[in-house]
Amino acid sequence: MGKLYIFAIGGTGARVMRSLTMLMAAGELADYEVVPILIDFDANNGDLMHTLDLMHKYKDIHKKAYDDGGFIHNDGFFCSPLTPIMSFSPNDAVNNNSFAMDMHIHYDMRVRDLLGYHNLMGSEHPFRLLLDTLFTTDINGELNQDLCVGFKGNAKIARLGYAALKIQETIEFRTFLNNIVPNRDKVIVVGSTFGGTGSVGVIEMLRQLRNGHHIPIDNIATVLIEPYFLPKPEPAIGPVDYYSDFSHNSKEFFKFYNDSGLAYFAKTTYKIGMDGFVIYDNAIGGQMQRNRAHSVELLSAMAICEYAWAGQKGLFEYNLGQLNLQFGHDMIERNDFYHLPGGLRIYESLSRLLLAARFYKEYSNGNQKVLRSRFYRDMQRCSPIDPSFSNALESIIEGILSWIEELSCDINNKFRLALFNVNDPMDRMIRGRQYVHHGIFRLFAHDIIDDYIGKMNEYYHSMRHNTIPRHNAIPSEQIILKLLSDSSRSIFQQFQ
Protein backbone atom coordinates (compact mmCIF):
# COMPACT_ATOMS: atom_id res chain seq x y z
CA MET A 1 0.00 0.00 0.00
CA GLY A 2 1.45 3.36 -1.03
CA LYS A 3 1.61 6.30 1.33
CA LEU A 4 0.02 9.68 0.76
CA TYR A 5 1.98 12.32 2.69
CA ILE A 6 -0.01 15.51 3.24
CA PHE A 7 1.64 18.66 4.56
CA ALA A 8 -1.39 20.65 5.77
CA ILE A 9 -0.23 24.16 6.62
CA GLY A 10 -1.94 26.75 8.81
CA GLY A 11 -5.57 27.01 9.90
CA THR A 12 -6.88 26.53 6.35
CA GLY A 13 -4.74 23.39 5.95
CA ALA A 14 -6.20 22.03 9.19
CA ARG A 15 -9.76 22.69 8.03
CA VAL A 16 -9.07 20.91 4.73
CA MET A 17 -7.77 17.93 6.72
CA ARG A 18 -11.01 17.95 8.69
CA SER A 19 -12.99 17.55 5.47
CA LEU A 20 -10.55 14.95 4.13
CA THR A 21 -10.86 12.89 7.33
CA MET A 22 -14.64 12.90 6.86
CA LEU A 23 -14.20 11.64 3.28
CA MET A 24 -11.88 8.92 4.56
CA ALA A 25 -14.53 7.94 7.11
CA ALA A 26 -16.84 7.51 4.10
CA GLY A 27 -14.38 5.06 2.53
CA GLU A 28 -12.33 7.36 0.28
CA LEU A 29 -8.56 6.91 -0.26
CA ALA A 30 -8.93 3.18 0.38
CA ASP A 31 -5.74 2.39 -1.55
CA TYR A 32 -3.46 4.61 0.56
CA GLU A 33 -1.95 4.90 3.98
CA VAL A 34 -2.49 8.59 4.70
CA VAL A 35 0.27 10.36 6.66
CA PRO A 36 -0.76 13.94 7.51
CA ILE A 37 1.76 16.42 8.92
CA LEU A 38 0.01 19.55 10.20
CA ILE A 39 2.12 22.69 10.45
CA ASP A 40 0.97 25.67 12.53
CA PHE A 41 2.91 27.97 14.83
CA ASP A 42 -0.35 28.58 16.73
CA ALA A 43 -0.35 25.24 18.57
CA ASN A 44 -3.63 26.03 20.39
CA ASN A 45 -5.50 27.13 17.26
CA GLY A 46 -9.10 26.00 17.61
CA ASP A 47 -9.31 24.64 14.06
CA LEU A 48 -6.04 22.75 14.52
CA MET A 49 -7.08 21.23 17.87
CA HIS A 50 -10.50 20.25 16.50
CA THR A 51 -8.95 18.52 13.50
CA LEU A 52 -6.29 16.74 15.58
CA ASP A 53 -8.97 15.40 17.93
CA LEU A 54 -10.99 14.15 14.95
CA MET A 55 -7.98 12.43 13.40
CA HIS A 56 -7.04 10.70 16.65
CA LYS A 57 -10.58 9.32 16.97
CA TYR A 58 -10.42 8.14 13.35
CA LYS A 59 -7.06 6.47 13.99
CA ASP A 60 -8.40 4.68 17.07
CA ILE A 61 -11.47 3.43 15.18
CA HIS A 62 -9.39 2.16 12.27
CA LYS A 63 -6.84 0.47 14.52
CA LYS A 64 -9.47 -1.35 16.56
CA ALA A 65 -11.38 -2.50 13.48
CA TYR A 66 -8.61 -3.33 11.03
CA ASP A 67 -5.28 -3.72 12.84
CA ASP A 68 -6.22 -6.18 15.59
CA GLY A 69 -7.32 -9.17 13.54
CA GLY A 70 -8.30 -10.40 10.08
CA PHE A 71 -9.25 -8.17 7.18
CA ILE A 72 -12.29 -8.85 5.03
CA HIS A 73 -12.62 -5.79 2.77
CA ASN A 74 -10.87 -2.58 1.83
CA ASP A 75 -13.59 -0.24 0.63
CA GLY A 76 -15.74 0.35 3.68
CA PHE A 77 -16.00 3.06 6.28
CA PHE A 78 -12.76 4.06 8.05
CA CYS A 79 -10.76 1.60 5.93
CA SER A 80 -7.68 3.76 5.19
CA PRO A 81 -4.91 3.91 7.79
CA LEU A 82 -4.30 7.40 9.18
CA THR A 83 -0.76 7.36 10.53
CA PRO A 84 1.27 9.93 12.53
CA ILE A 85 4.62 10.57 10.87
CA MET A 86 6.57 9.92 14.08
CA SER A 87 5.18 6.39 14.37
CA PHE A 88 7.85 5.56 11.75
CA SER A 89 10.62 6.89 13.98
CA PRO A 90 12.85 4.39 15.82
CA ASN A 91 13.31 6.97 18.58
CA ASP A 92 11.12 5.94 21.51
CA ALA A 93 11.75 9.26 23.24
CA VAL A 94 9.66 11.27 20.77
CA ASN A 95 5.89 11.62 20.73
CA ASN A 96 4.99 9.08 18.05
CA ASN A 97 1.27 9.77 18.33
CA SER A 98 1.23 13.35 17.09
CA PHE A 99 -0.06 14.46 13.70
CA ALA A 100 1.41 17.95 14.12
CA MET A 101 4.96 19.19 13.63
CA ASP A 102 6.56 20.48 16.83
CA MET A 103 7.15 24.18 16.12
CA HIS A 104 9.21 24.78 19.31
CA ILE A 105 7.25 27.90 20.23
CA HIS A 106 7.12 28.37 24.01
CA TYR A 107 4.68 30.40 26.07
CA ASP A 108 4.86 34.19 25.58
CA MET A 109 7.50 33.93 22.86
CA ARG A 110 7.66 37.15 20.83
CA VAL A 111 9.09 37.99 17.43
CA ARG A 112 11.90 39.89 19.13
CA ASP A 113 12.86 36.70 21.01
CA LEU A 114 12.97 34.80 17.74
CA LEU A 115 15.43 37.35 16.33
CA GLY A 116 17.54 37.72 19.46
CA TYR A 117 16.66 41.43 19.47
CA HIS A 118 17.70 42.03 23.08
CA ASN A 119 21.10 40.49 22.46
CA LEU A 120 21.91 43.22 19.95
CA MET A 121 23.68 45.55 22.33
CA GLY A 122 23.33 49.26 21.77
CA SER A 123 20.75 51.16 19.80
CA GLU A 124 23.29 51.72 17.01
CA HIS A 125 23.89 48.03 16.32
CA PRO A 126 23.55 47.69 12.50
CA PHE A 127 21.22 44.67 12.61
CA ARG A 128 19.10 46.27 15.32
CA LEU A 129 18.82 49.42 13.22
CA LEU A 130 17.72 47.26 10.27
CA LEU A 131 15.05 45.54 12.37
CA ASP A 132 13.81 48.88 13.68
CA THR A 133 13.46 50.02 10.08
CA LEU A 134 11.69 46.89 8.82
CA PHE A 135 9.31 46.30 11.73
CA THR A 136 7.16 48.37 14.05
CA THR A 137 8.57 48.37 17.59
CA ASP A 138 5.83 49.83 19.81
CA ILE A 139 4.09 47.71 22.47
CA ASN A 140 1.56 46.40 19.93
CA GLY A 141 4.02 46.41 17.05
CA GLU A 142 5.34 43.59 14.94
CA LEU A 143 8.46 42.92 17.03
CA ASN A 144 6.24 42.41 20.09
CA GLN A 145 3.79 40.08 18.33
CA ASP A 146 3.07 36.94 20.36
CA LEU A 147 4.10 33.91 18.26
CA CYS A 148 1.89 31.62 20.34
CA VAL A 149 -1.06 32.87 18.28
CA GLY A 150 0.68 32.46 14.93
CA PHE A 151 1.42 35.22 12.45
CA LYS A 152 -2.02 36.85 12.19
CA GLY A 153 -1.81 36.85 8.40
CA ASN A 154 1.52 38.72 8.35
CA ALA A 155 3.68 37.08 5.68
CA LYS A 156 6.69 39.23 6.64
CA ILE A 157 6.68 37.81 10.19
CA ALA A 158 5.95 34.33 8.86
CA ARG A 159 9.14 34.33 6.80
CA LEU A 160 11.13 34.98 9.96
CA GLY A 161 9.32 32.20 11.78
CA TYR A 162 10.04 29.61 9.13
CA ALA A 163 13.66 30.76 8.81
CA ALA A 164 14.14 30.24 12.54
CA LEU A 165 12.31 26.90 12.55
CA LYS A 166 14.41 25.37 9.74
CA ILE A 167 11.90 22.79 8.54
CA GLN A 168 14.66 20.72 6.98
CA GLU A 169 16.13 20.10 10.44
CA THR A 170 12.94 19.10 12.23
CA ILE A 171 12.65 15.48 13.31
CA GLU A 172 9.30 15.18 11.51
CA PHE A 173 10.75 16.23 8.15
CA ARG A 174 13.81 14.01 8.57
CA THR A 175 11.56 11.07 9.43
CA PHE A 176 9.51 11.79 6.30
CA LEU A 177 12.66 11.78 4.14
CA ASN A 178 13.87 8.54 5.71
CA ASN A 179 10.61 6.72 5.01
CA ILE A 180 9.24 7.98 1.70
CA VAL A 181 9.53 5.61 -1.27
CA PRO A 182 10.05 8.19 -4.04
CA ASN A 183 8.64 6.26 -6.99
CA ARG A 184 5.65 4.88 -5.09
CA ASP A 185 4.46 7.41 -2.52
CA LYS A 186 2.81 10.76 -3.23
CA VAL A 187 3.22 14.12 -1.52
CA ILE A 188 0.64 16.90 -1.33
CA VAL A 189 1.24 20.38 0.11
CA VAL A 190 -1.96 22.17 1.18
CA GLY A 191 -2.29 25.74 2.36
CA SER A 192 -3.85 29.13 1.82
CA THR A 193 -2.29 31.76 -0.41
CA PHE A 194 -3.56 34.72 1.62
CA GLY A 195 -2.45 34.28 5.24
CA GLY A 196 0.98 34.15 6.81
CA THR A 197 1.47 30.59 7.98
CA GLY A 198 -0.01 29.02 4.84
CA SER A 199 1.35 31.16 2.02
CA VAL A 200 4.91 31.26 3.33
CA GLY A 201 4.75 27.66 4.52
CA VAL A 202 3.75 26.31 1.10
CA ILE A 203 6.72 28.05 -0.52
CA GLU A 204 9.14 26.89 2.17
CA MET A 205 7.90 23.30 2.00
CA LEU A 206 8.25 23.12 -1.77
CA ARG A 207 11.79 24.43 -1.49
CA GLN A 208 12.69 21.74 1.00
CA LEU A 209 11.04 18.95 -1.01
CA ARG A 210 13.16 19.83 -4.03
CA ASN A 211 16.36 20.50 -2.10
CA GLY A 212 18.33 17.52 -3.41
CA HIS A 213 15.99 14.87 -2.00
CA HIS A 214 15.30 13.04 -5.28
CA ILE A 215 11.51 13.06 -4.92
CA PRO A 216 10.08 12.97 -8.47
CA ILE A 217 8.06 16.06 -9.29
CA ASP A 218 5.49 13.71 -10.85
CA ASN A 219 4.67 12.61 -7.30
CA ILE A 220 4.30 16.10 -5.81
CA ALA A 221 1.08 18.15 -5.89
CA THR A 222 -0.04 21.42 -4.34
CA VAL A 223 -3.54 22.49 -3.30
CA LEU A 224 -3.55 26.28 -3.10
CA ILE A 225 -6.60 27.94 -1.54
CA GLU A 226 -7.38 31.49 -2.58
CA PRO A 227 -9.14 33.98 -0.23
CA TYR A 228 -12.64 32.82 0.66
CA PHE A 229 -13.32 34.34 4.09
CA LEU A 230 -12.74 37.60 5.94
CA PRO A 231 -12.60 38.19 9.72
CA LYS A 232 -15.36 40.40 11.08
CA PRO A 233 -14.05 43.92 11.84
CA GLU A 234 -13.48 44.44 15.55
CA PRO A 235 -13.41 48.02 16.92
CA ALA A 236 -11.09 46.93 19.75
CA ILE A 237 -8.48 45.77 17.23
CA GLY A 238 -8.67 48.95 15.20
CA PRO A 239 -9.27 49.48 11.48
CA VAL A 240 -7.86 46.58 9.47
CA ASP A 241 -8.53 46.19 5.74
CA TYR A 242 -8.56 42.38 5.61
CA TYR A 243 -9.88 42.39 2.05
CA SER A 244 -6.91 44.38 0.76
CA ASP A 245 -4.43 42.44 2.90
CA PHE A 246 -5.68 39.00 1.85
CA SER A 247 -6.02 39.96 -1.81
CA HIS A 248 -2.54 41.50 -1.85
CA ASN A 249 -1.00 38.46 -0.12
CA SER A 250 -2.60 36.08 -2.60
CA LYS A 251 -1.50 38.07 -5.64
CA GLU A 252 2.05 38.30 -4.29
CA PHE A 253 2.04 34.59 -3.57
CA PHE A 254 1.12 33.57 -7.11
CA LYS A 255 3.52 36.10 -8.62
CA PHE A 256 6.41 34.64 -6.63
CA TYR A 257 5.15 31.06 -7.14
CA ASN A 258 5.26 31.46 -10.91
CA ASP A 259 8.20 33.85 -11.36
CA SER A 260 10.55 31.94 -9.05
CA GLY A 261 9.99 28.61 -10.77
CA LEU A 262 8.39 27.02 -7.70
CA ALA A 263 5.41 26.12 -9.87
CA TYR A 264 7.66 23.61 -11.61
CA PHE A 265 8.54 21.89 -8.32
CA ALA A 266 5.16 20.14 -8.40
CA LYS A 267 3.74 18.42 -11.44
CA THR A 268 0.16 19.04 -10.31
CA THR A 269 -1.35 22.24 -8.93
CA TYR A 270 -4.94 22.74 -7.82
CA LYS A 271 -6.14 26.34 -7.40
CA ILE A 272 -9.25 26.41 -5.23
CA GLY A 273 -11.43 29.46 -4.69
CA MET A 274 -14.80 31.13 -4.99
CA ASP A 275 -16.27 34.51 -5.88
CA GLY A 276 -16.69 36.74 -2.83
CA PHE A 277 -16.19 35.99 0.85
CA VAL A 278 -17.91 34.66 3.94
CA ILE A 279 -17.48 36.60 7.20
CA TYR A 280 -16.22 34.83 10.32
CA ASP A 281 -15.86 36.07 13.88
CA ASN A 282 -12.52 37.73 14.46
CA ALA A 283 -10.26 35.67 16.74
CA ILE A 284 -6.55 36.38 16.93
CA GLY A 285 -5.32 32.81 17.22
CA GLY A 286 -5.77 30.39 20.09
CA GLN A 287 -8.73 28.20 20.94
CA MET A 288 -11.29 30.83 19.89
CA GLN A 289 -10.12 30.64 16.28
CA ARG A 290 -12.45 27.94 15.05
CA ASN A 291 -14.31 28.59 11.82
CA ARG A 292 -17.43 26.91 10.53
CA ALA A 293 -16.77 24.31 7.80
CA HIS A 294 -17.07 25.64 4.25
CA SER A 295 -17.50 24.11 0.80
CA VAL A 296 -14.10 25.49 -0.29
CA GLU A 297 -12.44 23.19 2.24
CA LEU A 298 -14.51 20.21 1.05
CA LEU A 299 -13.62 21.06 -2.56
CA SER A 300 -9.93 21.11 -1.58
CA ALA A 301 -10.26 17.70 0.04
CA MET A 302 -11.99 16.40 -3.10
CA ALA A 303 -9.04 17.67 -5.16
CA ILE A 304 -6.70 15.64 -2.93
CA CYS A 305 -8.81 12.53 -3.56
CA GLU A 306 -8.82 13.21 -7.30
CA TYR A 307 -5.03 13.46 -7.36
CA ALA A 308 -4.72 10.22 -5.38
CA TRP A 309 -7.14 8.41 -7.72
CA ALA A 310 -5.99 9.67 -11.08
CA GLY A 311 -2.54 11.17 -10.57
CA GLN A 312 -3.43 14.02 -12.93
CA LYS A 313 -0.69 16.31 -14.18
CA GLY A 314 -0.97 20.03 -14.82
CA LEU A 315 -2.82 23.06 -13.46
CA PHE A 316 -6.45 22.61 -12.43
CA GLU A 317 -8.57 25.55 -11.31
CA TYR A 318 -11.81 25.03 -9.43
CA ASN A 319 -13.83 28.10 -8.49
CA LEU A 320 -17.25 27.67 -6.89
CA GLY A 321 -18.33 30.96 -8.42
CA GLN A 322 -17.90 29.49 -11.91
CA LEU A 323 -20.36 26.67 -11.33
CA ASN A 324 -23.58 26.93 -13.30
CA LEU A 325 -25.68 27.02 -10.15
CA GLN A 326 -29.21 26.07 -11.01
CA PHE A 327 -31.07 27.07 -7.87
CA GLY A 328 -29.52 30.31 -6.76
CA HIS A 329 -26.12 31.88 -6.36
CA ASP A 330 -25.55 30.68 -2.81
CA MET A 331 -26.40 26.98 -3.00
CA ILE A 332 -24.60 23.94 -4.45
CA GLU A 333 -27.24 21.42 -5.50
CA ARG A 334 -26.62 17.83 -6.58
CA ASN A 335 -26.18 18.56 -10.29
CA ASP A 336 -23.74 21.35 -9.43
CA PHE A 337 -21.79 19.05 -7.12
CA TYR A 338 -21.32 16.53 -9.94
CA HIS A 339 -19.15 19.09 -11.76
CA LEU A 340 -16.60 19.16 -8.92
CA PRO A 341 -13.63 16.73 -8.92
CA GLY A 342 -14.94 13.24 -8.21
CA GLY A 343 -18.34 14.79 -7.51
CA LEU A 344 -20.54 11.83 -8.46
CA ARG A 345 -18.54 9.33 -6.46
CA ILE A 346 -18.17 11.56 -3.41
CA TYR A 347 -21.86 12.48 -3.48
CA GLU A 348 -22.68 8.79 -3.04
CA SER A 349 -19.98 8.35 -0.39
CA LEU A 350 -21.29 11.27 1.67
CA SER A 351 -24.90 10.13 1.28
CA ARG A 352 -24.01 6.65 2.51
CA LEU A 353 -21.99 8.05 5.40
CA LEU A 354 -24.87 10.28 6.47
CA LEU A 355 -27.37 7.40 6.30
CA ALA A 356 -25.06 5.16 8.32
CA ALA A 357 -24.44 7.91 10.86
CA ARG A 358 -28.14 8.45 11.46
CA PHE A 359 -28.80 4.71 11.70
CA TYR A 360 -25.93 4.22 14.16
CA LYS A 361 -27.44 6.94 16.34
CA GLU A 362 -30.59 4.81 16.53
CA TYR A 363 -28.36 1.80 17.28
CA SER A 364 -26.45 3.52 20.07
CA ASN A 365 -29.51 5.29 21.50
CA GLY A 366 -31.27 1.99 22.13
CA ASN A 367 -33.95 2.02 19.41
CA GLN A 368 -36.21 -0.91 20.34
CA LYS A 369 -36.42 -2.16 16.77
CA VAL A 370 -32.64 -2.34 16.62
CA LEU A 371 -32.38 -4.01 20.03
CA ARG A 372 -34.79 -6.74 18.91
CA SER A 373 -33.03 -7.35 15.58
CA ARG A 374 -31.26 -10.62 14.84
CA PHE A 375 -27.90 -9.10 13.96
CA TYR A 376 -27.85 -7.05 17.17
CA ARG A 377 -28.74 -9.96 19.47
CA ASP A 378 -26.25 -12.30 17.77
CA MET A 379 -23.43 -9.77 17.93
CA GLN A 380 -24.12 -9.05 21.59
CA ARG A 381 -23.93 -12.76 22.31
CA CYS A 382 -21.04 -13.81 20.04
CA SER A 383 -18.88 -10.74 19.49
CA PRO A 384 -19.67 -7.71 21.67
CA ILE A 385 -18.11 -4.42 20.58
CA ASP A 386 -15.39 -2.79 22.68
CA PRO A 387 -16.92 0.17 24.63
CA SER A 388 -13.95 2.43 23.78
CA PHE A 389 -14.62 1.79 20.07
CA SER A 390 -18.31 2.56 20.54
CA ASN A 391 -17.52 5.81 22.34
CA ALA A 392 -15.09 6.93 19.64
CA LEU A 393 -17.53 6.03 16.86
CA GLU A 394 -20.43 7.81 18.57
CA SER A 395 -18.27 10.91 19.00
CA ILE A 396 -17.07 10.97 15.41
CA ILE A 397 -20.61 10.38 14.12
CA GLU A 398 -21.75 13.48 16.03
CA GLY A 399 -18.83 15.25 14.35
CA ILE A 400 -19.93 14.03 10.92
CA LEU A 401 -23.47 15.31 11.42
CA SER A 402 -22.19 18.67 12.72
CA TRP A 403 -19.77 18.99 9.80
CA ILE A 404 -22.49 18.39 7.19
CA GLU A 405 -24.80 20.78 9.04
CA GLU A 406 -22.08 23.48 9.01
CA LEU A 407 -21.53 22.99 5.28
CA SER A 408 -25.27 23.33 4.76
CA CYS A 409 -25.81 26.31 7.07
CA ASP A 410 -27.71 29.12 5.33
CA ILE A 411 -26.52 31.89 7.68
CA ASN A 412 -23.72 33.94 6.11
CA ASN A 413 -22.59 30.96 4.05
CA LYS A 414 -22.01 31.71 0.41
CA PHE A 415 -21.97 28.56 -1.74
CA ARG A 416 -23.46 26.42 1.00
CA LEU A 417 -23.93 22.73 0.36
CA ALA A 418 -27.56 21.92 -0.48
CA LEU A 419 -27.36 18.13 -0.74
CA PHE A 420 -28.83 16.99 2.56
CA ASN A 421 -31.42 17.82 5.20
CA VAL A 422 -29.48 16.55 8.21
CA ASN A 423 -32.22 17.02 10.79
CA ASP A 424 -35.10 15.60 8.73
CA PRO A 425 -36.32 11.99 9.03
CA MET A 426 -33.93 9.51 7.39
CA ASP A 427 -36.14 8.93 4.35
CA ARG A 428 -36.09 12.68 3.60
CA MET A 429 -32.46 13.48 4.38
CA ILE A 430 -31.21 13.35 0.80
CA ARG A 431 -32.50 16.46 -0.94
CA GLY A 432 -34.29 16.08 -4.24
CA ARG A 433 -34.62 12.29 -3.98
CA GLN A 434 -37.49 10.16 -2.76
CA TYR A 435 -37.01 6.98 -0.75
CA VAL A 436 -38.83 3.95 -2.18
CA HIS A 437 -39.31 0.66 -0.31
CA HIS A 438 -38.21 -2.39 -2.30
CA GLY A 439 -38.78 -6.13 -2.04
CA ILE A 440 -40.88 -7.68 0.71
CA PHE A 441 -40.13 -4.72 2.99
CA ARG A 442 -42.46 -2.50 0.97
CA LEU A 443 -45.37 -4.60 2.34
CA PHE A 444 -44.43 -4.52 6.01
CA ALA A 445 -41.97 -1.73 6.74
CA HIS A 446 -43.22 1.35 8.51
CA ASP A 447 -40.12 3.42 7.90
CA ILE A 448 -36.57 3.35 6.59
CA ILE A 449 -35.25 1.99 9.92
CA ASP A 450 -37.05 -1.29 9.23
CA ASP A 451 -35.41 -1.53 5.82
CA TYR A 452 -32.00 -0.74 7.27
CA ILE A 453 -32.41 -3.40 9.96
CA GLY A 454 -33.50 -5.87 7.29
CA LYS A 455 -30.33 -5.20 5.31
CA MET A 456 -28.17 -5.49 8.43
CA ASN A 457 -29.78 -8.85 9.25
CA GLU A 458 -29.34 -10.05 5.67
CA TYR A 459 -25.66 -9.10 5.42
CA TYR A 460 -24.87 -10.38 8.91
CA HIS A 461 -26.43 -13.77 8.09
CA SER A 462 -24.35 -13.95 4.91
CA MET A 463 -21.17 -13.02 6.76
CA ARG A 464 -21.73 -15.57 9.52
CA HIS A 465 -22.14 -18.40 7.01
CA ASN A 466 -19.77 -17.38 4.21
CA THR A 467 -17.22 -14.69 5.00
CA ILE A 468 -16.28 -15.01 8.67
CA PRO A 469 -15.53 -18.77 8.67
CA ARG A 470 -12.88 -18.24 5.97
CA HIS A 471 -10.99 -15.66 8.03
CA ASN A 472 -9.36 -15.82 11.42
CA ALA A 473 -10.43 -13.57 14.28
CA ILE A 474 -12.39 -10.91 12.42
CA PRO A 475 -12.89 -8.12 14.99
CA SER A 476 -16.52 -7.39 15.78
CA GLU A 477 -15.68 -3.69 15.28
CA GLN A 478 -14.80 -4.42 11.65
CA ILE A 479 -17.98 -6.45 11.24
CA ILE A 480 -20.21 -3.58 12.37
CA LEU A 481 -18.43 -1.13 10.04
CA LYS A 482 -18.86 -3.52 7.12
CA LEU A 483 -22.54 -4.03 7.95
CA LEU A 484 -23.09 -0.26 8.10
CA SER A 485 -21.17 0.25 4.85
CA ASP A 486 -22.87 -2.48 2.82
CA SER A 487 -26.34 -1.70 4.18
CA SER A 488 -25.98 2.02 3.48
CA ARG A 489 -25.02 1.21 -0.11
CA SER A 490 -28.25 -0.79 -0.55
CA ILE A 491 -30.40 1.80 1.20
CA PHE A 492 -28.91 4.63 -0.87
CA GLN A 493 -29.88 2.79 -4.08
CA GLN A 494 -33.50 2.97 -2.94
CA PHE A 495 -33.48 6.77 -3.18
CA GLN A 496 -34.81 7.79 -6.58
Side-chain angles (χ1 to χ4, degrees):
M1 175 180 283
K3 292 184 177 66
L4 185 65
Y5 293 94
I6 302 174
F7 291 94
I9 305 174
T12 301
R15 290 188 292 275
V16 172
M17 272 308 306
R18 180 190 180 196
S19 287
L20 186 66
T21 304
M22 297 302 186
L23 295 184
M24 291 173 63
E28 298 301 323
L29 298 179
D31 296 329
Y32 288 92
E33 179 178 7
V34 179
V35 186
I37 305 168
L38 276 66
I39 299 174
D40 200 329
F41 284 78
D42 181 4
N44 293 315
N45 179 283
D47 288 317
L48 175 67
M49 299 302 292
H50 190 203
T51 299
L52 290 175
D53 180 65
L54 172 70
M55 292 196 299
H56 281 295
K57 288 187 174 73
Y58 179 104
K59 180 175 72 71
D60 292 343
I61 289 169
H62 174 87
K63 177 176 173 57
K64 191 66 181 176
Y66 297 102
D67 290 358
D68 296 343
F71 189 77
I72 53 179
H73 73 133
N74 67 345
D75 63 348
F77 297 147
F78 299 92
C79 63
S80 298
L82 190 62
T83 307
I85 183 64
M86 295 313 298
S87 65
F88 302 127
S89 172
N91 186 353
D92 293 334
V94 302
N95 179 7
N96 63 7
N97 197 41
S98 176
F99 289 107
M101 184 177 284
D102 185 353
M103 310 308 284
H104 302 288
I105 300 295
H106 57 73
Y107 176 72
D108 201 32
M109 187 174 184
R110 308 277 167 170
V111 173
R112 63 174 185 264
D113 303 321
L114 195 69
L115 299 173
Y117 185 80
H118 291 303
N119 295 327
L120 304 174
M121 303 303 293
S123 60
E124 299 301 316
H125 191 289
F127 187 50
R128 183 162 180 163
L129 287 173
L130 177 63
L131 293 178
D132 290 344
T133 302
L134 294 175
F135 302 101
T136 54
T137 58
D138 58 273
I139 189 65
N140 295 315
E142 293 167 322
L143 283 179
N144 287 302
Q145 182 173 316
D146 186 355
L147 289 175
C148 292
V149 296
F151 303 123
K152 298 191 290 187
N154 190 322
K156 185 167 60 173
I157 300 295
R159 293 187 191 99
L160 294 174
Y162 281 106
L165 173 66
K166 297 180 180 177
I167 282 178
Q168 70 275 17
E169 297 180 8
T170 62
I171 189 170
E172 294 87 357
F173 192 74
R174 296 200 309 270
T175 302
F176 156 73
L177 291 177
N178 289 336
N179 285 274
I180 187 172
V181 179
N183 293 313
R184 181 198 66 185
D185 300 337
K186 294 180 178 180
V187 182
I188 301 178
V189 181
V190 184
S192 77
T193 64
F194 55 94
T197 307
S199 61
V200 178
V202 167
I203 289 170
E204 184 62 26
M205 185 55 63
L206 283 174
R207 282 174 170 163
Q208 296 307 324
L209 289 173
R210 297 299 300 154
N211 190 18
H213 298 307
H214 308 294
I215 302 172
I217 62 172
D218 283 2
N219 288 1
I220 300 176
T222 56
V223 178
L224 310 176
I225 298 107
E226 298 177 299
Y228 67 100
F229 71 86
L230 293 174
K232 184 186 299 182
E234 289 288 347
I237 298 175
V240 179
D241 189 349
Y242 291 107
Y243 174 81
S244 296
D245 289 349
F246 284 5
S247 298
H248 173 77
N249 287 352
S250 188
K251 289 176 182 176
E252 288 297 308
F253 171 89
F254 282 111
K255 185 177 187 304
F256 183 84
Y257 185 75
N258 293 312
D259 292 350
S260 67
L262 276 178
Y264 299 104
F265 286 11
K267 199 70 171 180
T268 305
T269 296
Y270 293 95
K271 288 176 65 175
I272 308 294
M274 72 177 205
D275 293 341
F277 302 88
V278 294
I279 306 298
Y280 289 143
D281 289 338
N282 198 330
I284 305 178
Q287 296 179 10
M288 296 301 293
Q289 187 170 320
R290 179 172 165 181
N291 294 348
R292 193 173 58 239
H294 191 273
S295 301
V296 162
E297 298 143 15
L298 173 59
L299 173 56
S300 302
M302 293 168 69
I304 292 174
C305 292
E306 181 181 69
Y307 175 70
W309 297 329
Q312 292 178 311
K313 307 293 188 293
L315 171 65
F316 301 91
E317 299 188 48
Y318 294 103
N319 187 304
L320 293 177
Q322 295 172 4
L323 288 176
N324 184 21
L325 299 178
Q326 296 183 350
F327 297 96
H329 189 58
D330 64 340
M331 297 197 312
I332 302 173
E333 295 275 354
R334 175 164 38 113
N335 289 334
D336 307 315
F337 195 78
Y338 289 166
H339 290 91
L340 301 180
L344 180 60
R345 170 174 170 164
I346 289 178
Y347 169 74
E348 179 175 343
S349 296
L350 289 178
S351 298
R352 291 176 50 229
L353 181 66
L354 179 58
L355 289 167
R358 284 290 299 273
F359 179 79
Y360 193 81
K361 283 196 69 172
E362 300 291 336
Y363 177 100
S364 59
N365 290 340
N367 182 296
Q368 289 301 308
K369 292 179 180 179
V370 177
L371 297 182
R372 292 194 298 267
S373 66
R374 186 169 68 250
F375 86 87
Y376 180 85
R377 287 183 283 114
D378 283 0
M379 287 193 69
Q380 289 294 103
R381 183 178 68 253
C382 303
S383 51
I385 295 172
D386 188 304
S388 64
F389 173 89
S390 297
N391 291 337
L393 187 56
E394 288 172 23
S395 177
I396 211 168
I397 278 174
E398 288 296 335
I400 290 166
L401 296 173
S402 296
W403 173 69
I404 293 178
E405 195 165 8
E406 289 174 29
L407 290 170
S408 309
C409 177
D410 61 358
I411 300 175
N412 181 33
N413 193 2
K414 198 172 186 181
F415 302 112
R416 66 186 180 91
L417 207 62
L419 304 180
F420 310 110
N421 299 310
V422 177
N423 297 313
D424 282 8
M426 279 182 66
D427 56 359
R428 295 201 295 272
M429 282 197 310
I430 301 179
R431 286 178 59 121
R433 303 185 73 161
Q434 182 178 2
Y435 182 75
V436 178
H437 296 289
H438 287 174
I440 61 170
F441 300 110
R442 71 183 188 277
L443 302 177
F444 306 106
H446 297 292
D447 57 33
I448 192 173
I449 295 293
D450 295 292
D451 286 4
Y452 213 118
I453 291 172
K455 291 298 181 184
M456 297 282 280
N457 286 335
E458 177 185 337
Y459 288 124
Y460 183 72
H461 178 79
S462 175
M463 290 175 64
R464 293 291 299 174
H465 287 84
N466 300 312
T467 307
I468 296 175
R470 298 199 303 270
H471 298 77
N472 295 322
I474 301 297
S476 54
E477 292 78 14
Q478 186 179 152
I479 292 172
I480 191 65
L481 289 180
K482 180 166 177 59
L483 290 176
L484 288 169
S485 179
D486 290 351
S487 299
S488 68
R489 182 178 289 109
S490 295
I491 294 296
F492 173 72
Q493 291 171 355
Q494 293 176 213
F495 280 87
Q496 299 178 356

